[in-house]
Amino acid sequence: MPAERAGYTVTMFVVDVCKSMGATKTIPLPPGPNGEQRSSEVTHLQYALQYVKFKIQDMIYNGRKTDQCGVIIFGTEDTDNRINDENGGYENVTEYITIAQPTAETLKRLDELKPSDVYGDPIDALIVAVEAQNLYLGNKKTWTRKVILVTDGEGPIELEDWEVTAAKMNELNVALTVVGVEFDDEEYEFKQKNKPHYKEVNEQFYNDQLCNPENEGVKNSVVGTLDRVLEDISMPEVRTHAKCLADWRCRYSREEAMEILIKTSKCISINRPKPFKKFYIRPKISAGGNAEEHDMEVDVDEDEPKNITFAQLKGRTEYYVDMAEPKDGEEEEGKGKEKVKEEEMIEDGDEIASTLEKVEKEELIRGFKYGTSYVPCPDGQFSKLPTKKGIDVVGFVAEKKFRREYSMGEVQYIWANPDNSTAQCALSAMVQAMYEKGVLAVGRWVTGDGRDAKMGIMSPTLFDKVHCLLWAPMPFADDVRKHTFPSLSVIKNKKGETLTEHPYIPTENQSEAMDEFVDSLDLMEAGLKDEESGKRTEWFDIRDSYNPAYHRLKQAMFHCAIVADIDTNPLPPPHPELLKYFNPPKKLLKKAQSTIDECIQAFNVKHVPKAAKMVRKGGHSHANDDDEEMLLLDRNPSTSKHSQSHAQSEVAQELEKAGGENDTEDEDGELLLDKVGPAQTPHPLPTPARSLSSFSPQDQDDDAMDIDPQRDANRIIGRTHPLTDFKDNLKRGDIVTKAVEDMCMVIAEVVIAPFASRRKDEMIECLTELREVCLKEDEIEQWNAFIPNLKQKCLHSTPGNEEFWTEVQDVGRELSLISDREAKKSGGSSNISEVEAMKFMVT
């Protein structure tokens, strides 16, 4: 089938709503949460409309204004069509939806269709659809005309003069698709049981007469059963469309020594998922106001008010100049300069920080970053290169020397101008010469005079009747980043000597085992056997490989739009073609099992169970630290004695469990770990009880006094002396997040506990220390989430502590939210503006 032109299509859906479409059928559903079998009972009309709505959704999803449709229904109790109004006849046929670009309202109107108590003639409905389509398009011969008839085939059909209708459809080049409910299909292996005789006659008419070109039927037509069609529409597909050629000029050199007239068209384009839009719920505008066009009502409970709408979020950018003087320690280049920053949207009446001055966008000048400074450019752009539209061939490179990863982006065809025989001969000679010499051409592509140039690689392609070039963009030299990594085969010790034997250097036996293992996983001969040659073909074909995330998301969106309740009619499983390459072929796995066993034996692979955490003397559980530091080649060991000892003990346990082949290593072979003493158990932290909080923890003997640290399970901060616990845990350096989390919980519990006023000064000190740590250790999100929660508990919970929050407000800005300005100075990030941080302590 030739490629269709994207859009420029009018599709007429002819839907049967006769009495017989009210019959019900049971359709299977995916298993429930506990594996129970589920099913649903729907009418033939509801089942058939799923296909119609899916096709219309596809038009809405593509969003082309030239992709239009209309809906004709037959079997209605009333008659409403233009042919009946002008000439009479054509009873029980209604023009339900006029031809236009489909919208969500189109789907809503389809849901309102119900089976009637009468019957209508499908041939009359086809004539009305073709006539409406012809009157709408007029003389637009380039548009594609389609008619899709959806019926159960149980209504009476007037078979007299049907050949005239088929001839008219052939004259207008109309493509006809007949989708039948429970039609027989030998390929799909479906045959309806106890089928009425009149339905067999109607099916035979559709198959052997109306849709049979050899019997004066419609030439471009097809008949299918609804079950198979619904299964096929969930299959991912790659669409091909007619190519739009663009005029260009190809030059051999910039001096225009030779110029060839060419045209370009897309070969492969990226199919990206549709972007999601953000909405928020807001009260509906009063009768006196003007509601926005994109508002839509929401289904709510009967007890709730129904004056709620969804409104799309729209971004707004405001510009401010930071007039504050730079503090000590800031870079000299920042002195005396005004920095423009973008603030979040603020409501009318909000006060702006005194250091910020609002400016209009028209007053700004575009600047470009150069090193650590900005270069202003009043015109918004530097002088452009005097480029000229066309493709310049700047050189050639051997195909063997071209790095495949440099070919990036969408591929395009480069054809010779079909109206210029000289250009065709010149480009064909160039392509053949490149093919024989095994070279690729490097091209400089300029889409318009004065526009930026793009560099690309052009590959010769020889089709049966035409020669062309394939263009793919490639990066400039400045865009290529080269990263170096430590050698995997050469290892040196601390003295700079090259080692020949080391656990990280594979032996000859290990290298051979791995080579055999990799060779056994070759997919080039893991597919089905070729019928002609008898040899196995490759298993993976990139043309049959689809992006499961994109197609599954699209399937979910379409399904949710056509079903009324997602709980009773859940999303069906993905099409088998989408899961085709999820699991490797079983024959290949069975064949590779022997090489896998050889690798396990050669590398002495054994399962190492995770070591249990050591229980501390205090009896509490610690946070989940990292199991051990990453051991990398050519990386100096950590300076933390605890982490170093912990990592060494873990590695020693793994070597011992693995067989002890490399129990020890001489000094020359040490690469990752220094020799250190055994890990020491840290002394338990002094945590006096609340009644002794006035005493210094250093002056107390914990062993003699047996003080309760008030430390809950799974916490490392106690309520007795939280600040001391917090500081001591921070010295370890590897549990900052856990320490901050527990400190937040402890402060919130102490503040609302009885007699909390006795410890208000201590809690203020804890908040000050906690905020400083969060700012320095990039735990800003935890602080910004904790302090509003603490405010809520103090002011609005029972019991609260308004007195303590008043003390926090007296401290002021130092205990407020961490703004983006503060976070930036510490190398972190925050979504709180300076205005919000200042307002937080005032309100």
Side-chain angles (χ1 to χ4, degrees):
M1 179 181 295
E4 296 179 2
R5 187 181 181 187
Y8 298 94
T9 303
V10 173
T11 304
M12 299 299 298
F13 294 96
V14 182
V15 183
D16 186 356
V17 295
C18 297
K19 182 178 180 180
S20 59
M21 293 292 284
T24 59
K25 66 173 298 182
T26 302
I27 58 174
L29 298 177
N34 300 323
E36 67 274 13
Q37 297 295 327
R38 296 188 296 178
S39 60
S40 176
E41 189 170 308
V42 297
T43 64
H44 286 177
L45 179 60
Q46 291 174 330
Y47 195 48
L49 285 177
Q50 290 187 20
Y51 170 72
V52 178
K53 288 189 286 186
F54 183 93
K55 300 293 288 186
I56 293 177
Q57 281 181 103
D58 207 15
M59 302 178 190
I60 300 174
Y61 187 80
N62 293 329
R64 300 190 186 98
K65 293 182 180 180
T66 55
D67 208 354
Q68 303 174 3
C69 70
V71 179
I72 306 294
I73 56 177
F74 64 96
T76 57
E77 297 179 356
D78 300 327
T79 301
D80 184 11
N81 63 81
R82 66 186 68 192
I83 300 180
N84 175 267
D85 296 339
E86 296 175 358
N87 305 317
Y90 301 89
E91 303 290 339
N92 307 114
V93 179
T94 300
E95 296 184 24
Y96 188 61
I97 299 176
T98 57
I99 300 175
Q101 183 184 3
T103 61
E105 183 66 23
T106 308
L107 299 176
K108 182 179 178 182
R109 292 201 63 189
L110 288 175
D111 290 333
E112 298 172 357
L113 289 176
K114 304 293 180 183
S116 65
D117 293 330
V118 298
Y119 286 92
D121 188 356
I123 300 298
D124 289 348
L126 282 177
I127 296 174
V128 172
V130 172
E131 183 65 19
Q133 188 182 59
N134 189 39
L135 290 175
Y136 180 79
L137 291 178
N139 296 325
K140 298 178 180 179
K141 297 182 180 180
T142 59
W143 283 57
T144 302
R145 308 183 184 210
K146 296 181 180 180
V147 175
I148 298 178
L149 173 62
V150 183
T151 178
D152 62 354
E154 297 189 12
I157 303 177
E158 180 59 49
L159 300 180
E160 188 174 339
D161 296 333
W162 65 267
E163 296 89 348
V164 179
T165 303
K168 184 65 175 179
M169 296 178 70
N170 290 331
E171 179 185 347
L172 298 174
N173 197 21
V174 177
L176 175 63
T177 301
V178 179
V179 179
V181 181
E182 295 186 345
F183 274 25
D184 294 342
D185 192 328
E186 296 181 359
E187 295 182 1
Y188 190 62
E189 298 180 354
F190 175 81
K191 186 174 181 63
Q192 182 182 2
K193 299 179 180 179
N194 302 323
K195 179 178 296 186
H197 176 69
Y198 54 85
K199 183 174 182 178
E200 290 184 355
V201 174
N202 291 342
E203 279 191 43
Q204 187 176 5
F205 165 72
Y206 288 125
N207 286 285
D208 299 339
Q209 294 180 301
L210 182 62
C211 296
N212 187 1
E214 298 178 358
N215 193 15
E216 299 184 1
V218 181
K219 295 180 180 178
N220 190 6
S221 60
V222 64
V223 181
T225 183
L226 181 60
D227 292 324
R228 181 177 183 178
V229 170
L230 289 175
E231 181 178 321
D232 290 343
I233 58 178
S234 64
M235 177 180 177
E237 59 179 357
V238 178
R239 295 190 176 183
T240 57
H241 299 288
K243 302 175 180 62
C244 182
L245 300 179
D247 290 321
W248 297 89
R249 293 176 183 269
C250 180
R251 294 178 287 272
Y252 265 111
S253 66
R254 297 181 183 178
E255 290 76 17
E256 301 184 12
M258 178 177 290
E259 188 175 82
I260 304 174
L261 299 179
I262 59 173
K263 288 182 177 290
T264 62
S265 62
K266 282 191 175 182
C267 174
I268 298 174
S269 59
I270 301 175
N271 193 11
R272 294 183 175 90
K274 294 294 181 181
F276 287 92
K277 298 179 180 179
K278 295 182 179 181
F279 292 83
Y280 74 99
I281 299 178
R282 69 176 183 185
K284 200 169 186 179
I285 300 176
S286 59
N290 295 325
E292 296 187 13
E293 295 180 357
H294 53 258
D295 291 352
M296 55 184 177
E297 296 185 357
V298 189
D299 294 333
V300 295
D301 297 335
E302 296 180 357
D303 299 334
E304 296 179 359
K306 297 186 178 180
N307 58 343
I308 300 177
T309 58
F310 278 128
Q312 183 179 345
L313 287 175
K314 296 182 178 180
R316 187 181 71 191
T317 302
E318 295 182 354
Y319 299 89
Y320 295 87
V321 177
D322 189 356
M323 307 297 294
E325 292 293 333
K327 297 181 180 180
D328 295 339
E330 292 188 354
E331 298 180 1
E332 291 294 331
E333 65 179 9
K335 294 184 178 180
K337 292 187 177 180
E338 297 178 353
K339 299 179 180 178
V340 180
K341 63 180 300 183
E342 299 179 8
E343 291 288 342
E344 295 181 354
M345 286 193 303
I346 56 175
E347 299 178 0
D348 295 337
D350 290 346
E351 295 183 0
I352 307 300
S354 58
T355 60
L356 301 179
E357 180 180 343
K358 185 177 179 179
V359 294
E360 299 299 330
K361 184 178 181 181
E362 291 75 12
E363 302 177 16
L364 302 177
I365 297 176
R366 182 179 295 276
F368 294 88
K369 191 172 183 180
Y370 183 76
T372 58
S373 61
Y374 286 89
V375 179
C377 186
D379 297 334
Q381 185 60 272
F382 292 101
S383 299
K384 296 183 178 180
L385 293 174
T387 56
K388 187 177 181 181
K389 180 180 178 180
I391 303 175
D392 291 333
V393 179
V394 298
F396 297 90
V397 60
E399 186 175 3
K400 297 180 179 179
K401 296 182 179 180
F402 179 74
R403 301 182 63 172
R404 180 64 181 82
E405 65 271 17
Y406 284 173
S407 174
M408 302 185 299
E410 298 180 346
V411 181
Q412 300 207 37
Y413 287 113
I414 298 179
W415 314 91
N417 193 317
D419 300 329
N420 191 311
S421 58
T422 304
Q424 296 175 19
C425 293
L427 186 65
S428 177
M430 176 181 173
V431 171
Q432 292 185 62
M434 290 173 58
Y435 181 80
E436 293 177 1
K437 296 294 183 180
V439 297
L440 305 176
V442 179
R444 181 172 176 267
W445 186 319
V446 180
T447 58
D449 293 345
R451 295 185 180 179
D452 296 335
K454 299 178 182 179
M455 297 302 296
I457 195 74
M458 293 183 286
S459 174
T461 303
L462 281 69
F463 292 110
D464 293 338
K465 297 182 179 181
V466 66
H467 298 163
C468 66
L469 294 170
L470 289 181
W471 158 280
M474 64 179 186
F476 288 91
D478 294 340
D479 298 328
V480 179
R481 306 293 178 85
K482 296 182 179 180
H483 302 277
T484 57
F485 299 93
S487 174
L488 297 176
S489 58
V490 178
I491 299 179
K492 296 182 179 180
N493 59 14
K494 292 182 178 180
K495 296 180 180 180
E497 299 173 350
T498 302
L499 303 180
T500 57
E501 295 183 1
H502 190 272
Y504 294 144
I505 300 179
T507 63
E508 184 178 353
N509 183 29
Q510 291 174 340
S511 299
E512 292 179 357
M514 182 56 66
D515 289 341
E516 293 178 0
F517 171 63
V518 174
D519 293 339
S520 65
L521 298 180
D522 187 5
L523 299 176
M524 296 303 294
E525 296 181 357
L528 300 176
K529 288 185 178 181
D530 188 2
E531 297 180 356
E532 297 181 358
S533 62
K535 297 181 179 180
R536 289 194 174 274
T537 59
E538 59 180 296
W539 175 72
F540 182 80
D541 189 348
I542 191 173
R543 294 170 296 183
D544 296 334
S545 176
Y546 306 97
N547 185 345
Y550 171 81
H551 292 284
R552 185 61 169 166
L553 177 62
K554 180 180 177 181
Q555 183 185 4
M557 292 171 57
F558 282 23
H559 179 77
C560 292
I562 64 174
V563 299
D565 188 359
I566 195 67
D567 294 328
T568 58
N569 194 354
L571 179 67
H575 195 276
E577 283 293 320
L578 198 60
L579 309 177
K580 185 176 181 179
Y581 297 121
F582 268 43
N583 299 313
K586 295 181 179 179
K587 292 183 178 180
L588 185 68
L589 293 178
K590 185 177 180 181
K591 179 182 178 182
Q593 187 60 46
S594 59
T595 60
I596 295 175
D597 297 336
E598 292 178 4
C599 284
I600 293 175
Q601 183 177 2
F603 288 93
N604 194 22
V605 179
K606 292 184 179 180
H607 175 69
V608 180
K610 191 174 182 180
K613 293 291 182 180
M614 181 176 62
V615 180
R616 298 292 180 183
K617 184 178 180 181
H620 61 271
S621 300
H622 284 277
N624 293 327
D625 303 338
D626 293 334
D627 292 341
E628 60 264 357
E629 295 184 0
M630 294 294 293
L631 304 181
L632 302 178
L633 295 175
D634 298 345
R635 176 69 59 84
N636 292 330
S638 171
T639 57
S640 173
K641 291 184 178 180
H642 170 75
S643 300
Q644 197 174 51
S645 303
H646 179 64
Q648 187 180 21
S649 61
E650 293 285 352
V651 173
Q653 292 177 12
E654 292 182 8
L655 291 176
E656 181 180 356
K657 294 177 181 178
E661 292 185 4
N662 299 298
D663 294 338
T664 59
E665 196 175 75
D666 56 14
E667 184 179 355
D668 295 342
E670 292 180 2
L671 294 174
L672 305 175
L673 300 172
D674 293 334
K675 290 185 177 179
V676 295
Q680 298 179 357
T681 304
H683 187 72
L685 300 176
T687 52
R690 183 182 295 106
S691 60
L692 303 174
S693 60
S694 59
F695 295 93
S696 173
Q698 287 76 9
D699 299 333
Q700 301 172 12
D701 187 357
D702 291 309
D703 296 334
M705 302 179 67
D706 193 21
I707 297 172
D708 181 13
Q710 294 289 319
R711 192 180 294 116
D712 295 343
N714 298 324
R715 284 192 188 175
I716 59 176
I717 305 295
R719 289 187 292 272
T720 302
H721 256 299
L723 188 57
T724 303
D725 288 357
F726 185 66
K727 291 181 178 179
D728 289 338
N729 279 285
L730 290 179
K731 293 178 181 178
R732 298 177 55 186
D734 54 354
I735 53 173
V736 177
T737 302
K738 178 63 175 176
V740 170
E741 180 182 352
D742 289 358
M743 189 65 166
C744 294
M745 295 181 181
V746 169
I747 293 175
E749 293 173 359
V750 172
V751 165
I752 62 174
F755 308 104
S757 58
R758 299 180 182 180
R759 307 183 67 184
K760 62 181 180 181
D761 294 336
E762 180 187 358
M763 292 298 103
I764 293 293
E765 187 179 359
C766 288
L767 286 173
T768 304
E769 180 68 20
L770 176 62
R771 190 179 190 275
E772 183 178 356
V773 171
C774 289
L775 188 59
K776 292 181 179 179
E777 300 294 340
D778 197 17
E779 298 292 338
I780 298 172
E781 291 185 3
Q782 282 213 53
W783 172 265
N784 287 343
F786 159 70
I787 198 67
N789 185 32
L790 180 64
K791 179 180 179 180
Q792 176 71 17
K793 288 185 177 181
C794 292
L795 300 180
H796 303 292
S797 65
T798 304
N801 195 341
E802 296 183 7
E803 180 183 356
F804 177 77
W805 187 252
T806 303
E807 294 289 336
V808 175
Q809 287 180 316
D810 292 341
V811 177
R813 180 68 181 83
E814 288 75 15
L815 291 182
S816 183
L817 297 168
I818 299 177
S819 67
D820 51 357
R821 296 175 61 189
E822 296 177 278
K824 185 177 181 180
K825 294 178 181 179
S826 300
S829 61
S830 171
N831 56 0
I832 303 297
S833 65
E834 185 67 24
V835 176
E836 292 175 329
M838 295 180 66
K839 287 179 55 181
F840 179 78
M841 280 299 177
V842 178
T843 57

